[in-house]
Amino acid sequence: MSSPSPRDKNASRDIEAPVIAQGTKKGNAQASDINDAKQTKKVFIKTYGCQMNVYDSERMADVLSPIGYAAVDAPDDADLVVLNTCHIREKAAEKVYSELGRVRKMKETKEAEGRGEMTVAVAGCVAQAEGAEIMRRAPVVDMVLGPQTYHKLPEMIAKVTRAKGDVLETEFDTLEKFDQLPTTRDPKGFSAFLTIQEGCDKFCTFCVVPYTRGAEVSRPVDQIVMEARSLAQKGVREITLIGQNVNAYLADAPDGSGQWGLGALIRHVAKIGGIDRIRFTTSHPRDMDDDLIETLGSEPKLMPYLHLPIQAGSNKILRAMNRDHTYAHYKELIAKIRAARPDIALSGDFIVGFPGETDADFEDTMKCVEEIGYGSSFSFKYSIRPGTPGASMPRQVPEDVKSERLKRLQDLLYKQQTEFNHSLIGRTLDVLVEGVGRDGGQLFGRSPYLQGTHFDGPESLIGTIVPVTITGAGRNSLTGEWTQTE
Ligand code: 5AD
Ligand code: SF4
C-alpha cells in the first residue's frame, strides 16, 4: 500500500448527486425488550433526496428490525410511517408537506376502520431545518428526528407510545450515531451505499447542507471495513463510498502510521474479498488530491466514473458561491484525472440563475460544458434556501430567465450524454447483473459508467459481473448482448 496523503481539514466539501429514491427494505422481525416484540409491526420508509438519505433509510430499517418492525412497500397499513426528507431545494421540502396530507388521510382511515394506530415520523434534513415547526404545521407528525439521531428511533417510539406525546430529536453527534448503529447490514441487492463521511463546513452560499448535516466528520477506517465485510458476506459486489464531501475523508490509519485520505481508504477496501467494484461520491474539486487521482489510475476495482460538480463556469459566480476555486483550476484538474485514467467518464452538478448571474456568466457555464464534456449530469435552477447567504443576495434572477437557461444547458448536457452512450456501441463492458428488467424477460444491470443495461441471459447470472457487448444506446440506458465466455 502506498503512503497515505494527509490533507487540509478545512478544504472544501461537496454534496452527493441527487436521486429520488423510494426505498424500503425487508427486515426480519426479532425479539425485543422495548416494544411488543412478539407482534410483528410494519414500517414504511419513504426516501427523498440524495444517496445519503437512501443509506440512512436502510440503516433506520436495520435499527427497527430488532424491535419487531418489518419494512413494507406501502404506507396504508403501516404501524410506523417515516418520511426521510430532503431540504436541498424548495420543491423538495414542499413535497414533504403534501405527502404528510396524504399520510394524515391514511392514518384516519386506518384508525377509523379499527386497523390499529399509525405513528408518523419526519426524519432527514427538513426535520433538522424545521424542527418543531413541522409538528405545528402538520399535527399528524408524532416524531421529528434529524439525520444524526435516527439510531435513537426505538427509544423515541417507546416515548411516543407510552406518553402519547410528540418527540423531537435534532442534536448533532454523527460519531455517536455511527457507534450505535448495528455493525452488520441487511442489503437489498448486489450494490450498496456505505457512508464514510458526513457533513460539510465549506458553506457554499446557495447550500443548506452545512446547516442540516452539521460539521464534517469522517468515520473510522475499522468501522467502514467491518461494514464493507458484512456487505460482502451478504453478496454485495459493488460498494459506493458516500459522503457530502467524500474526498475530504481523513481518518487515523488503523496501523498508527498517520492519517488516511480517500485514496488510501479505497485501496484498503479494495482488498476485501467479494468486493469487485468501488465507487465514491460526491467529490469537491478542491479536495481532489494527487493520491486520489493516482488511485483512480491504479486501482482496477475503482470504476471509471467520477462525479465532480463545478456548479457554474464563471469565475465571478464561483466566487459568489464561495466555491473556492476557478474554472481554470477545475479544467487543469480534469486534465490530470484524464491523464491518470483515460477511460473515465465525468458527471457534474450545475446551478443556473445564481444571484448576479448575467447572460455572459451563463455563457461561461455553457463553454465549460462544451470544453469539459460530460457523460451524465444533474442541473438545477437556483432555489432560494432560507438562512443561506444566497437568499439575501441582490440581483436575484427572474424565474423565466432561469427556465430558459436551464433548458439551453440541459439540451447541451443531454446531447453529450446521448453521444457518450452511443460511443459505447460495439464495446464490451462488464455489467453487474442486478435482476430481471422491468418488462420481464431481459436481465438488467449496471455498466462501469452506471448506465442501466438490458440484455438477454439466464437468471443464474443475477449477482455476477458479465461481459456485455453494447448494441444500442439511448440517453439513459444501453442494450447489449451477453458475450458468453465458455
Ligand atoms: N438551488 C439549486 N440547486 C442546489 N443545489 C444545492 N443547493 C441548491 C440550491 N439552493 C444543487 C447543487 C448540489 C446538488 C446536490 O444540488 O448542484 O451539488
Ligand atoms: Fe457541497 Fe457546498 Fe453544499 Fe458543502 S456547502 S454540501 S460543498 S454544495
Side-chain angles (χ1 to χ4, degrees):
M1 181 159 302
S2 61
S3 63
S5 97
R7 277 148 333 117
D8 177 9
K9 257 256 175 199
N10 295 319
S12 51
R13 343 245 168 265
D14 210 338
I15 190 174
E16 62 278 18
V19 292
I20 302 293
Q22 301 189 357
T24 57
K25 96 188 232 315
K26 291 186 185 75
N28 297 319
Q30 292 168 11
S32 153
D33 53 351
I34 300 178
N35 251 342
D36 181 3
K38 284 174 206 99
Q39 184 189 6
T40 296
K41 299 190 176 189
K42 295 176 189 150
V43 56
F44 172 74
I45 306 176
K46 178 160 180 165
T47 312
Y48 300 82
C50 63
Q51 291 99 327
M52 193 160 285
N53 269 9
V54 175
Y55 175 86
D56 289 348
S57 291
E58 292 191 6
R59 302 303 271 152
M60 284 183 216
D62 288 340
V63 167
L64 291 168
S65 172
I67 61 162
Y69 281 88
V72 292
D73 292 328
D76 319 52
D77 217 22
D79 302 287
L80 172 64
V81 170
V82 183
L83 303 186
N84 192 12
T85 62
C86 171
H87 203 239
I88 197 93
R89 284 170 292 275
E90 191 182 356
K91 268 195 193 147
E94 280 309 313
K95 270 191 202 158
V96 176
Y97 287 103
S98 29
E99 185 65 19
L100 283 172
R102 285 189 286 275
V103 170
R104 181 175 54 82
K105 285 192 193 125
M106 276 179 230
K107 179 183 165 94
E108 284 167 359
T109 310
K110 184 175 186 241
E111 293 179 1
E113 290 174 356
R115 288 184 285 121
E117 294 187 359
M118 182 186 278
T119 303
V120 180
V122 175
C125 292
V126 174
Q128 190 64 45
E130 305 212 347
E133 175 62 23
I134 296 179
M135 295 192 228
R136 271 193 291 279
R137 219 175 129 180
V140 67
V141 176
D142 303 293
M143 295 190 270
V144 174
L145 57 147
Q148 310 311 348
T149 54
Y150 60 79
H151 58 292
K152 295 185 184 166
L153 261 171
E155 227 178 275
M156 294 174 76
I157 292 168
K159 262 194 221 163
V160 167
T161 343
R162 262 194 241 115
K164 302 266 172 222
D166 295 338
V167 181
L168 173 71
E169 283 279 3
T170 50
E171 277 169 21
F172 276 119
D173 196 338
T174 315
L175 282 177
E176 182 199 300
K177 173 184 74 179
F178 283 122
D179 278 346
Q180 299 198 5
L181 287 175
T183 47
T184 54
R185 295 271 304 269
D186 188 11
K188 268 188 295 184
F190 306 100
S191 178
F193 294 130
L194 201 173
T195 295
I196 63 161
Q197 178 279 335
E198 205 171 328
C200 177
D201 37 51
K202 177 61 184 162
F203 292 95
C204 295
T205 52
F206 51 82
C207 185
V208 287
V209 167
Y211 311 94
T212 57
R213 288 275 173 174
E216 184 215 318
V217 172
S218 295
R219 283 179 81 183
V221 173
D222 288 345
Q223 214 180 64
I224 293 166
V225 169
M226 222 185 321
E227 202 173 311
R229 281 212 187 100
S230 150
L231 289 167
Q233 276 159 11
K234 297 203 171 127
V236 166
R237 309 285 308 270
E238 173 180 279
I239 287 185
T240 304
L241 305 173
I242 58 173
Q244 258 93 31
N245 194 0
V246 74
N247 58 339
Y249 181 84
L250 192 66
D252 291 341
D255 58 4
S257 64
Q259 289 203 294
W260 279 6
L262 182 58
L265 179 74
I266 288 170
R267 296 191 295 274
H268 193 62
V269 171
K271 291 180 183 157
I272 297 174
I275 301 300
D276 296 313
R277 289 177 155 195
I278 301 173
R279 303 178 184 277
F280 61 92
T281 198
T282 286
S283 301
H284 193 293
R286 293 285 303 184
D287 290 334
M288 226 38 234
D289 66 16
D290 288 346
D291 185 55
L292 181 57
I293 296 174
E294 275 163 32
T295 307
L296 265 173
S298 62
E299 177 49 62
K301 290 189 178 178
L302 207 43
M303 292 295 97
Y305 174 91
L306 179 66
H307 184 65
L308 194 64
I310 182 166
Q311 313 292 357
S314 143
N315 286 337
K316 181 189 97 189
I317 297 298
L318 286 170
R319 208 175 316 118
M321 286 176 164
N322 194 29
R323 292 291 290 180
D324 220 15
H325 65 81
T326 60
Y327 174 54
H329 169 85
Y330 183 80
K331 218 170 133 177
E332 274 166 33
L333 198 57
I334 298 295
K336 242 175 157 179
I337 292 165
R338 283 187 164 139
R341 185 84 188 237
D343 63 341
I344 205 147
L346 289 170
S347 158
D349 289 343
F350 300 89
I351 296 177
V352 299
F354 187 77
E357 185 187 74
T358 61
D359 285 343
D361 294 321
F362 173 66
E363 293 309 325
D364 285 344
T365 300
M366 294 291 284
K367 184 167 152 254
C368 155
V369 174
E370 291 279 10
E371 287 183 349
I372 303 290
Y374 291 88
S376 73
S377 61
F378 302 88
S379 44
F380 315 96
K381 289 192 261 186
Y382 171 66
S383 165
I384 291 183
R385 304 316 291 130
T388 61
S392 51
M393 283 184 184
R395 291 177 294 130
Q396 296 284 334
V397 175
E399 207 49 36
D400 56 335
V401 177
K402 286 188 208 171
S403 300
E404 266 170 45
R405 288 181 186 167
L406 186 65
K407 164 102 184 44
R408 273 192 60 206
L409 178 65
Q410 289 185 337
D411 283 348
L412 176 60
L413 287 165
Y414 295 163
K415 183 170 145 272
Q416 289 189 344
Q417 184 168 335
T418 309
E419 281 169 4
F420 172 65
N421 290 352
H422 272 268
S423 74
L424 300 172
I425 293 177
R427 274 184 57 190
T428 301
L429 302 178
D430 283 341
V431 172
L432 170 56
V433 190
E434 292 183 359
V436 176
R438 227 177 279 150
D439 43 2
Q442 284 201 312
L443 295 177
F444 172 83
R446 296 260 166 210
S447 82
Y449 300 110
L450 268 184
Q451 301 104 332
T453 306
H454 301 262
F455 61 99
D456 288 323
E459 288 191 20
S460 56
L461 297 184
I462 293 171
T464 67
I465 296 171
V466 297
V468 174
T469 303
I470 305 306
T471 53
R475 190 176 98 202
N476 294 311
S477 62
L478 305 173
T479 48
E481 282 164 14
W482 170 40
T483 326
Q484 294 191 50
T485 41
E486 293 145 48

